[in-house]
Amino acid sequence: MSSPSRSENEEIVRNFRKAAKLKRIYRCASTDDLGKFSSDVDEARGSLENDIAANIIFNKAGLILDLRSSSERNEDLARKWMSNHEFEVLVHSRNGNSKESSFNYNNNDAFKRIVYRIDVLSPQRLFDYMAKNWIDDSIQKASYTFASIFDTQKLHEQRMDILNEKGIQGTYEAMLQTSDEELSSALKAITTYLENNSSGDVIVHCVQGKDRTGLVIMLCQSILGIDDDTIIEDYHKSEQLLRKKEESAAMVSVVNSQKPKKGKLNKAFFRVSPREAMIETLAFLRREHGTIHNYLDFIGFDKSWRERFLTVANEKDMGTRVSQRQSKL
């Protein structure tokens, strides 16, 4: 069966790009559609020879972090391209209160190609965090508790209203506070892979490559002392790259300014990546933990891990900038 035809400008993997100021680390949206072009390896290579994302993923990537849940994945397509390009799948699992990664990459694995699946966004942890931290009014809290027992539809509507009020940055806050093991495992996997492989690339992705991916990339950039403006602009760039051809910036602004319907998630707003969301996320980390280094200690990516990451992920021209920025985190 031949691979489907593809126009010259068609993107198979959306939002694909090198993460700003990070060595050998790329970010992108879902990679599943690569499976449409992988029924035959040689044929796939021929049909995608001018596709930058496909070439890097197929030929250079050694570690791919897939931050999605199983329900967000097209398993048939994913398995097809991974099998044809000799990727082994590892799955992260929570281990009680341990913050140690289940990713045991070592020198013996230097030639393995690995897709490491880490479910960073847990709806249950998000909703538990919501109930504990975002409902202050006693009447609202009583209504929420009642609905959680007797009225699942009402509970869903209340949750959507709260998410709309908190916005994207609220979701990031919840993930940062409740997905500590997952985020630490992602950082440790990147570090150990780069330590053991001097040339292979790392790909970090979720569904759109902006939210869960954005948090992991932000933490990597923060460890290196990259300035906030660069982090914010790298995050915001997803909004332009993911925008549909028929959408203009003005159209997106109008949609986002519209008041969401009560009980309905404002999906249009959650599809964008406004600068304000990352600005508030960085502010939250410093407000809640004092410094981003303190937050990294909190999730188990301590000073010794950060020093290892600095050794292998630092760009050559960043030495002075890193030393200047460390004290500010």
Side-chain angles (χ1 to χ4, degrees):
M1 184 176 179
S2 61
S3 296
S5 60
R6 167 178 166 270
S7 64
E8 183 177 349
N9 296 321
E10 180 183 356
E11 292 179 320
I12 307 304
V13 179
R14 302 189 69 196
N15 199 14
F16 185 90
R17 64 191 192 275
K18 183 175 176 294
K21 303 295 184 181
L22 295 181
K23 183 180 179 181
R24 295 162 52 201
I25 300 177
Y26 292 80
R27 56 185 298 169
C28 63
S30 171
T31 60
D32 290 350
D33 281 351
L34 289 170
K36 296 177 180 178
F37 296 85
S38 296
S39 57
D40 176 85
V41 176
D42 291 332
E43 184 177 305
R45 283 174 177 162
S47 64
L48 296 176
E49 63 181 351
N50 295 320
D51 189 285
I52 295 174
N55 271 291
I56 291 176
I57 293 171
F58 286 166
N59 302 316
K60 295 187 64 180
L63 172 66
I64 297 177
L65 295 184
D66 181 349
L67 308 180
R68 301 172 295 172
S69 66
S70 58
S71 64
E72 296 172 307
R73 193 177 295 118
N74 186 319
E75 193 65 47
D76 289 341
L77 288 178
R79 289 284 177 178
K80 185 178 294 185
W81 75 258
M82 289 188 299
S83 175
N84 284 336
H85 294 277
E86 301 181 333
F87 278 93
E88 175 184 344
V89 177
L90 298 179
V91 181
H92 172 269
S93 59
R94 286 203 148 213
N95 184 24
N97 294 321
S98 172
K99 292 183 172 61
E100 290 299 312
S101 171
S102 59
F103 180 89
N104 298 313
Y105 193 94
N106 55 54
N107 288 327
N108 295 326
D109 298 319
F111 298 103
K112 287 185 179 180
R113 309 188 78 193
I114 294 172
V115 173
Y116 190 28
R117 292 175 168 177
I118 308 175
D119 188 357
V120 171
L121 177 56
S122 161
Q124 189 56 56
R125 292 199 302 271
L126 170 63
F127 295 141
D128 288 346
Y129 185 85
M130 173 188 293
K132 182 178 180 180
N133 297 278
W134 294 345
I135 305 176
D136 298 323
D137 180 79
S138 59
I139 295 177
Q140 185 184 20
K141 186 177 287 290
S143 175
Y144 188 93
T145 302
F146 180 87
S148 66
I149 302 172
F150 298 107
D151 192 339
T152 56
Q153 179 59 35
K154 180 64 176 178
L155 177 64
H156 173 76
E157 292 173 356
Q158 288 180 328
R159 285 171 169 172
M160 296 307 101
D161 289 340
I162 294 171
L163 283 175
N164 286 334
E165 179 184 350
K166 287 294 182 178
I168 299 175
Q169 57 266 36
T171 305
Y172 296 170
E173 172 189 326
M175 281 193 284
L176 287 166
Q177 292 296 92
T178 65
S179 295
D180 47 349
E181 291 184 35
E182 288 74 16
L183 292 169
S184 180
S185 292
L187 295 174
K188 289 175 180 179
I190 293 171
T191 303
T192 51
Y193 174 78
L194 293 176
E195 284 177 332
N196 288 280
N197 193 304
S198 60
S199 59
D201 292 330
V202 175
I203 311 293
V204 183
H205 82 87
C206 50
V207 175
Q208 299 293 331
K210 69 180 186 69
D211 300 318
R212 288 162 284 189
T213 297
L215 292 183
V216 170
I217 296 299
M218 174 272 289
L219 292 173
C220 289
Q221 292 167 330
S222 295
I223 294 167
L224 293 184
I226 293 168
D227 62 279
D228 284 4
D229 288 343
T230 298
I231 294 172
I232 293 162
E233 288 306 314
D234 193 34
Y235 163 79
H236 178 62
K237 190 174 182 179
S238 292
E239 187 165 315
Q240 176 185 355
L241 295 177
L242 291 169
R243 190 180 300 151
K244 295 178 181 178
K245 292 180 180 179
E246 66 273 16
E247 291 178 338
S248 66
M251 288 173 62
V252 172
S253 179
V254 169
V255 170
N256 293 341
S257 66
Q258 294 175 347
K259 187 176 181 180
K261 295 180 180 179
K262 193 167 182 60
K264 301 282 187 180
L265 185 67
N266 185 359
K267 293 182 179 180
F269 182 74
F270 281 83
R271 283 199 295 266
V272 297
S273 52
R275 293 181 180 88
E276 294 75 14
M278 185 53 68
I279 291 171
E280 177 52 34
T281 297
L282 291 166
F284 167 79
L285 283 175
R286 290 167 178 139
R287 187 168 63 246
E288 184 70 17
H289 296 275
T291 68
I292 295 179
H293 279 177
N294 287 348
Y295 171 75
L296 291 162
D297 287 336
F298 165 74
I299 67 173
F301 199 73
D302 60 21
K303 183 178 180 181
S304 63
W305 275 103
R306 296 196 293 273
E307 289 176 346
R308 289 167 62 179
F309 183 85
L310 280 167
T311 300
V312 293
N314 192 16
E315 289 191 335
K316 292 181 180 179
D317 61 349
M318 288 183 59
T320 302
R321 188 187 304 118
V322 170
S323 62
Q324 291 174 340
R325 288 283 299 173
Q326 292 307 310
S327 61
K328 298 180 181 180
L329 290 175

